Every structure is written in structure tokens, then in C-alpha cells.
């Protein structure tokens, strides 16, 4: 990539503002930079004051861009690069640029291992649609799930699309390949009776992180990362609402704080009486822990400090790792013998499923349930949970039967033979 000659101008309509330099690359894309300093003849940094200073600073910046472009071009994977190496390079680049979350990078690397198995020596330019189809078919025959194969497909397709955009490939061989059809998820939710028993049991237990978290998720559908990322300042007891603003993610490098999963996931969740009771018990417990840690709970600054703490965390400000939360719940669910509607042990995420299933079965408005869950649209909620409860579907059939039951005034249609 080459940069055309830059130019410099003074912001005449904004007196007192610094000089700004502009350059364009070979594709006519423009960059701009505020020119504040330049390296003078003595090798020292000097401030830009005059137009000549600005021109010197612009030339230095232009030269730096040119050197970087040449260096990047030399290191850019080419069409002759093996597919597996090209994939690795792409993942390394987005990890370095931090353009995606660490957990997403982890997922890409897991999917990349299937690409390595088949395409470690195949040049990018030799990759064909038939090869991709055969590869994905082989993964299915090995017994891999449609979800796993689908993830590997989407990764390879995304990277081939990038290769086309940077002119390393002229076409995307994955475009004509359809990934295996994924089976719709079957929520392993608790029945109404088992959910009630769980709620009663949690209410009489010590307010440990897992007990508090399970109560919140059972009555709100919050994800485990969202519960782990909940701070006390986001719990509005006066208005009976929880503000979901942060989540704790996990990756190979450990746990990390992030914004919620999607824009819809940044939401307000109603605070029920059961949730508030659980949070009040947890608050009292954490206040005791603060006192034991030598923190003055009577100081003017304590409320602000306490508000910054994580509900499931510690008095010194650490969060509770979602991986630990999942393990703790697994042990608790096993001790209780909790089994869901699919006959499997209830994992932590099944508490979210249980909330949604029970809400839909109770006749709650689907759009409202979607909003509480943080789903992008109600169709997602409807597709997953509308038929998840066999008792609810049976009730629906009975309702229709009752509506269509003929009354004493019902007259059958006469059939006219024609």
C-alpha cells in the first residue's frame, strides 16, 4: 500500500487550533492527524508552530505510514499460504487488535483445529467448494455435532471472505456450501413443582454466592456471567429493578469484565420479592465481611465503596468467577437431585430456561419475556420456549377444545351436494 503526497491546512474557522495533516493511500482512503510535534535537525522533538513546522511534521508522519505499509505488505499472508496458517494468522491479528472478546478468540481457536486437520498443507488459492463440502461431511460422519461443524464452517467462510476483501483470493469457496442444519435447542427446564421446591430450599440456605446467584437466575433468567458481573450500585431496591450493565466472561487467560452480550442484553430486570430478600441477606453477609476486613462501615465513603463491589464478590472488590459458580451449582444440583424436562441434570443455564418456560406457560406476554431475557426479538423467545412445557401445550389444546365445544344453540352446516 502506497500513500500519495499529503497536504496540510490550518483550521482557519477555528482560531487557535493546531495544524492538521492529511494523507491518502493508493485506494484513496484518507487519514488525518493533529500535528503537534516534529523531530528537528538536532534529533529533538519540537512543537509545531509555523506552517513550515507543520509540513515537516506531515512528511515525517507520511514516511512512517509508508514504512508501516511496506512492512505489513511483506508480512501479509498470501494466496500460496496454507489454509491452516492463514487462519492462524487471522486469529492472531484480531486477538492482537482486541477487536473481539477473548472468549470469542478461544472459540475460533477450538474451531481452527478442525481446519488444521484437513488443510494444513492446502494453499489458500487451491481451496475449492468441493473440498470444503467433503471436509464438513467428514466431520459429521465422525460424530461431531452440527453446532460444532457449523462453527468451523462459519470461521473458514469468514476468513475466506476477508481474503477476498484484501485481494488474496478472487472468490470465496465457502459461499456455495451450506453448513449442517442445527437442531433447535431443547430447554432442560424445571417443572413448576420442582421450581417451587428449589425456590423454597434456596430461601432457607446461607446467602453464599451460588445460592444468591441461583435465586436471581431462577426468578429473572439472568445469565451466570451477568449475575457474576452485578454490582450493588446496580440493585435499585427503591424502584424494584436490577440494571444489567456488566458481565464477566471466561477465556483461556481467565475471567474478564465485559459489556453484556448484545445491546438488548443491556437491560433492566424487575426485582421480585424473592430476589430482594435474597439480595438483602447477601448484603448483610457482605457487610459483615467488610467489617472483618477492617473496613469502616460507618464512614461517609462506605456506601460508595460498597456500591462498587460485586454482589457475588469479595469485600476487597474481586468478582466471583463464573466457572467457579458453574461448578458450585453443579455440586448443589447433584446434591438436590435436580433433573429437568429433558431428563438431564440441571446445569446453571437451565435456570434461565426454567424462568422463560414458566413465564410463557403462565401466560406472560412473549415480548415482555424476551425483554427480561435480553433477547434481540420475541421470535427467538417464542421459537425456543413456546412448546418447551408439555403441560402448557396440553392446556392450550384443552382451551381450544373448550372454545369449540358446541352449545345448545349450535346448528351444524347443511351439506349441499353439487
Amino acid at each position: 500500500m502506497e500513500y500519495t503526497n499529503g497536504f496540510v491546512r490550518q483550521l482557519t474557522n477555528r482560531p487557535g487550533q493546531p495544524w492538521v495533516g492529511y494523507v491518502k493511500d493508493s485506494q484513496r482512503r484518507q487519514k488525518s492527524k493533529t500535528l503537534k510535534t516534529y523531530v528537528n535537525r538536532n534529533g529533538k522533538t519540537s512543537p509545531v508552530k509555523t506552517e513550515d513546522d507543520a509540513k515537516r511534521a506531515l512528511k515525517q508522519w507520511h514516511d512512517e505510514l509508508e514504512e508501516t505499509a511496506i512492512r505489513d505488505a511483506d508480512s501479509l499472508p498470501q494466496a500460496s499460504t496454507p489454509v491452516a496458517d492463514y487462519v492462524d494468522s487471522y486469529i492472531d491479528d484480531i486477538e492482537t487488535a482486541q477487536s473481539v472478546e477473548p472468549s470469542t478468540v478461544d472459540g475460533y481457536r477450538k474451531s481452527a483445529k478442525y481446519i488444521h486437520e484437513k488443510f494444513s498443507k492446502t494453499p489458500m488459492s487451491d481451496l475449492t467448494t468441493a473440498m470444503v463440502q467433503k471436509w464438513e461431511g467428514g466431520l459429521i460422519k465422525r460424530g461431531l455435532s452440527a453446532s460444532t461443524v457449523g462453527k468451523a464452517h462459519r470461521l473458514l467462510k469468514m476468513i475466506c471472505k476477508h481474503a477476498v476483501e484484501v485481494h488474496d483470493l478472487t472468490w470465496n469457496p465457502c459461499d456455495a456450501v451450506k453448513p449442517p442444519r442445527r437442531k433447535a435447542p431443547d430447554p432442560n427446564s424445571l417443572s413448576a413443582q420442582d421450581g417451587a421446591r428449589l425456590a423454597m430450599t434456596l430461601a432457607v440456605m446461607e446467602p453464599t454466592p451460588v445460592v444468591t446467584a441461583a435465586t436471581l437466575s431462577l426468578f429473572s433468567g439472568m445469565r451466570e456471567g451477568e449475575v457474576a458481573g452485578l454490582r450493588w450500585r446496580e440493585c435499585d431496591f427503591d424502584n424494584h429493578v436490577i440494571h444489567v450493565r456488566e458481565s464477566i466472561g471466561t477465556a483461556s487467560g481467565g475471567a474478564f469484565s465485559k459489556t453484556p452480550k448484545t445491546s438488548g442484553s443491556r437491560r433492566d430486570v424487575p426485582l421480585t420479592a424473592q430476589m430482594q430478600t435474597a439480595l438483602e441477606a447477601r448484603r448483610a453477609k457482605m457487610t459483615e465481611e467488610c467489617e472483618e476486613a477492617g473496613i469502616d462501615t460507618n464512614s461517609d465513603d462506605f456506601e460508595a465503596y460498597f456500591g462498587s463491589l460485586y454482589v457475588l464478590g469479595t469485600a476487597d472488590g474481586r468478582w466471583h468467577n463464573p466457572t467457579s459458580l458453574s461448578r458450585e451449582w453443579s455440586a448443589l444440583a447433584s446434591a438436590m437431585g435436580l433433573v429437568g424436562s429433558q431428563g438431564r441434570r440441571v446445569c446453571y443455564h437451565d435456570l434461565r430456561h426454567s424462568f422463560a418456560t414458566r413465564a410463557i406457560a403462565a401466560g406472560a406476554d412473549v415480548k415482555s419475556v424476551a425483554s427480561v431475557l435480553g433477547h434481540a426479538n420475541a421470535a427467538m423467545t417464542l421459537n425456543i420456549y413456546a412448546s418447551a412445557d408439555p403441560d402448557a401445550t396440553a392446556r392450550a389444546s384443552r382451551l381450544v377444545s373448550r372454545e369449540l365445544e358446541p352449545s345448545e344453540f349450535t346448528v351444524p352446516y347443511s351439506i349441499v351436494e353439487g
Side-chain angles (χ1 to χ4, degrees), residues 11-305:
L11 297 179
T12 55
N13 59 329
R14 298 179 65 185
Q17 295 298 313
W19 293 82
V20 176
Y22 296 86
V23 295
K24 291 182 179 180
D25 61 25
S26 55
Q27 298 180 26
R28 309 303 295 171
R29 292 176 299 196
Q30 183 170 280
K31 288 179 175 286
S32 64
K33 180 181 180 181
T34 299
L35 305 172
K36 296 182 178 179
T37 62
Y38 70 98
V39 178
N40 63 27
R41 295 176 181 176
N42 297 323
K44 295 182 180 180
T45 300
S46 299
V48 171
K49 295 181 178 179
T50 66
E51 184 174 355
D52 287 340
D53 294 340
K55 288 180 179 179
R56 281 191 287 269
L58 177 61
K59 183 180 184 306
Q60 290 174 7
W61 177 48
H62 176 275
D63 292 344
E64 290 171 4
L65 288 174
E66 200 68 64
E67 290 175 6
T68 300
I70 293 172
R71 185 171 61 251
D72 289 346
D74 290 340
S75 62
L76 184 69
Q78 303 299 317
S80 60
T81 302
V83 175
D85 293 344
Y86 198 102
V87 168
D88 286 346
S89 177
Y90 178 89
I91 297 174
D92 289 342
D93 286 346
I94 61 176
E95 182 178 31
T96 301
Q98 298 182 349
S99 56
V100 296
E101 294 177 356
S103 54
T104 301
V105 172
D106 271 8
Y108 286 165
R109 294 202 186 282
K110 290 176 183 177
S111 295
K113 69 180 182 181
Y114 300 112
I115 299 174
H116 269 267
E117 293 173 358
K118 186 67 176 179
F119 302 119
S120 61
K121 296 181 180 179
T122 305
M124 285 288 289
S125 57
D126 290 352
L127 190 65
T128 66
T129 296
M131 294 168 67
V132 176
Q133 286 178 323
K134 186 176 181 180
W135 165 62
E136 293 186 15
L139 295 177
I140 291 293
K141 288 180 180 179
R142 280 171 49 183
L144 295 180
S145 69
S147 175
T148 298
V149 178
K151 289 177 181 177
H153 166 91
R154 287 189 293 276
L155 174 64
L156 182 58
K157 184 175 182 178
M158 177 180 68
I159 292 174
C160 286
K161 179 183 178 182
H162 166 77
V164 173
E165 291 173 345
V166 298
H167 308 296
D168 284 341
L169 290 180
T170 57
W171 67 292
N172 188 338
C174 298
D175 280 345
V177 181
K178 290 185 178 180
R181 188 173 181 178
R182 288 183 290 177
K183 181 183 177 183
D186 294 320
N188 187 43
S189 57
L190 289 167
S191 66
Q193 181 179 2
D194 288 342
R197 291 181 63 193
L198 173 60
M200 179 182 291
T201 304
L202 293 173
V204 297
M205 296 179 71
E206 287 293 317
T208 60
V210 66
V211 169
T212 305
T215 303
L216 295 180
S217 293
L218 182 63
F219 285 98
S220 73
M222 289 176 67
R223 302 175 178 92
E224 60 188 303
E226 293 170 343
V227 177
L230 180 64
R231 297 177 190 261
W232 284 108
R233 65 186 174 217
E234 308 299 351
C235 301
D236 188 344
F237 292 120
D238 294 332
N239 295 305
H240 306 289
V241 67
I242 284 176
H243 306 291
V244 180
R245 299 293 184 268
E246 183 180 356
S247 183
I248 305 301
T250 55
S252 57
F256 60 96
S257 175
K258 61 178 183 176
T259 54
K261 190 175 181 181
T262 64
S263 57
S265 296
R266 183 183 171 88
R267 64 197 187 280
D268 293 339
V269 173
L271 183 60
T272 67
Q274 297 92 336
M275 293 164 65
Q276 181 153 338
T277 298
L279 286 171
E280 287 172 347
R282 179 65 185 163
R283 182 183 177 92
K285 178 68 175 176
M286 285 195 68
T287 300
E288 291 179 6
E289 293 174 358
C290 287
E291 292 173 345
E292 292 171 359
I295 299 171
D296 185 2
T297 59
N298 295 316
S299 70
D300 295 336
D301 300 330
F302 178 70
E303 280 303 316
Y305 174 77

Side-chain angles (χ1 to χ4, degrees), residues 398-418:
R398 288 196 296 270
L399 285 171
V400 173
S401 297
R402 192 157 58 241
E403 285 295 313
L404 299 182
E405 183 71 26
S407 70
E408 57 181 310
F409 303 106
T410 304
V411 178
Y413 288 102
S414 58
I415 306 299
V416 179
E417 297 183 359

